[in-house]
Structures are given as C-alpha cells and as structure tokens.
Amino acid sequence: MNNLYIINEVLFDYTPGMAVIAAPDLNRCREIFVEKFNLYNDDLYEDEIAEYDSAIKNKHYKVIEGVNHNEGVVSYVFGGG
C-alpha cells in the first residue's frame, strides 16, 4: 500500500510548483521525483533536488496514508511567472 505525498515549493519557475507522488515512503518518493524529472541529466539538478529536499525538511508537504494507487507521479505543476 502506498502513501500519497503532496509536495509544495518544488519545480520553481519564478513561482513554486507542486508534485503529487504515490510511494511507500519518503525515500522512494524522492527517487521517483528524481526519475520523473530526469534530474540526473539536467544542468540544474542540484537546484531542483535542493528544492525538493528543502520542501521536505521544512514540511511543505502533506501525506495521505494507505491510498490504493500505483507507485509513481500522480500529478505535477511547474511554477510560472
């Protein structure tokens, strides 16, 4: 059973975006975020993953436990200007 992580203050482009990810725990959630947004091949990788890590550290996320949803990114929105 997965949890649903609603993460704010990520995917910035002038303003913050958000991501919704189904995963069993925060560690796997981070892995899915990196895989989806291809951060390992992006010149801005360090900034983007720092945004994610900061959002988690500062508790800019909500968790809905025990959802019946397959693992992966459910939805996301890039920030805009």
Side-chain angles (χ1 to χ4, degrees):
M1 188 72 58
N2 287 314
N3 298 322
L4 197 62
Y5 295 90
I6 304 163
I7 307 157
N8 296 298
E9 306 291 324
V10 293
L11 304 174
F12 278 79
D13 185 8
Y14 297 106
T15 61
M18 57 148 327
V20 180
I21 299 173
D25 56 50
L26 272 174
N27 290 330
R28 181 63 184 136
C29 183
R30 186 179 192 270
E31 291 172 359
I32 293 168
F33 183 88
V34 170
E35 290 167 8
K36 169 64 180 178
F37 300 105
N38 200 24
L39 300 177
Y40 287 127
N41 296 321
D42 189 334
D43 290 340
L44 298 176
Y45 166 73
E46 291 180 16
D47 290 338
E48 291 166 332
I49 201 60
E51 290 170 2
Y52 176 90
D53 290 339
S54 176
I56 299 305
K57 177 183 174 191
N58 293 313
K59 301 193 185 300
H60 293 293
Y61 69 96
K62 302 226 183 290
V63 181
I64 300 171
E65 296 180 349
V67 298
N68 186 20
H69 198 287
N70 293 334
E71 183 179 274
V73 174
V74 175
S75 185
Y76 63 92
V77 176
F78 282 93

